[in-house]
Amino acid sequence: MELPKFILGDNTDFPESIFVIHTEFPRFIIDLKDDEVEWLEDFDKEDEKELSSEAEGLITQANEFYDREVNRYEEG
């Protein structure tokens, strides 16, 4: 199965939150309510250096994905 790079998620147990799930390495879930990120990968010290430079761009992409999806819902 081919998955999209980003998936929107919500949960009635967290009514204030909107989640964006990044399905490619490094996998993570971001809660757009407060931009808290939960990484779904285990990283060693070397990975953390590379990740820090990549993380900002991925989080920006996640926010852009959400904005795009909301615009599509509003247009549709």
Side-chain angles (χ1 to χ4, degrees), residues 10-48:
D10 66 354
N11 186 302
T12 56
D13 292 334
F14 301 90
E16 303 279 321
S17 297
I18 298 173
F19 302 99
V20 176
I21 300 99
H22 181 252
T23 63
E24 298 176 357
F25 185 84
R27 297 172 302 145
F28 64 85
I29 300 171
I30 182 170
D31 183 345
L32 297 179
K33 173 187 70 171
D34 56 12
D35 289 337
E36 185 176 347
V37 176
E38 179 71 28
W39 297 98
L40 304 175
E41 311 287 354
D42 292 324
F43 301 106
D44 60 24
K45 289 292 181 189
E46 281 186 30
D47 291 337
E48 287 179 15

Side-chain angles (χ1 to χ4, degrees), residues 46-73:
E46 281 186 30
D47 291 337
E48 287 179 15
K49 291 176 186 176
E50 184 178 327
L51 177 65
S52 65
S53 64
E54 193 175 335
E56 185 176 330
L58 289 172
I59 291 168
T60 298
Q61 288 177 34
N63 281 286
E64 290 170 352
F65 165 76
Y66 172 75
D67 292 340
R68 185 193 79 185
E69 291 298 296
V70 168
N71 286 333
R72 287 180 176 177
Y73 284 124

